[in-house]
Amino acid sequence: IEVFNLRSRWFIAEILRIPTVEHFSQSIIKFTQVADLCRSWNDFASVLVISSAIYSPQVYNHYSILSQLPRDTKISLRSLSQLM
């Protein structure tokens, strides 16, 4: 559990340290793509870490930015959340 929390906090910190809205949304898109790759490799621990970081209150409070993500990224995020 400690390793999971550490990895999740690292992802949250990486996302939140992004200074601009453009880069913030690009990082969410990139992490979503990485999570999709992990899912295809059956690495569900990494999928859970990444998706829990994206859906953490610290990141999810930027809902206005998340709502502007491309459609395919939103679909991927929904499917990741359903795995959780």
Side-chain angles (χ1 to χ4, degrees):
I1 293 176
E2 290 179 34
V3 174
F4 173 86
N5 289 337
L6 181 66
R7 290 173 61 196
S8 184
R9 282 191 298 257
W10 179 82
F11 273 103
I12 293 168
E14 287 299 309
I15 293 169
L16 293 179
R17 74 180 187 90
I18 307 295
T20 64
V21 172
E22 278 183 25
H23 291 109
F24 185 90
S25 61
Q26 288 174 357
S27 69
I28 297 293
I29 292 168
K30 184 60 71 177
F31 284 138
T32 303
Q33 292 170 345
V34 170
D36 277 337
L37 283 173
C38 291
R39 180 173 51 183
S40 69
W41 297 330
N42 294 327
D43 183 2
F44 295 107
S46 294
V47 170
L48 188 58
V49 166
I50 294 170
S51 59
S52 67
I54 292 173
Y55 283 107
S56 71
Q58 299 94 327
V59 175
Y60 202 74
N61 282 340
H62 299 280
Y63 184 76
S64 60
I65 297 170
L66 295 175
S67 65
Q68 298 173 7
L69 292 173
R71 184 175 183 264
D72 58 333
T73 303
K74 289 180 186 177
I75 291 170
S76 293
L77 281 173
R78 279 190 209 112
S79 66
L80 292 174
S81 70
Q82 290 174 351
L83 286 175
M84 293 176 25

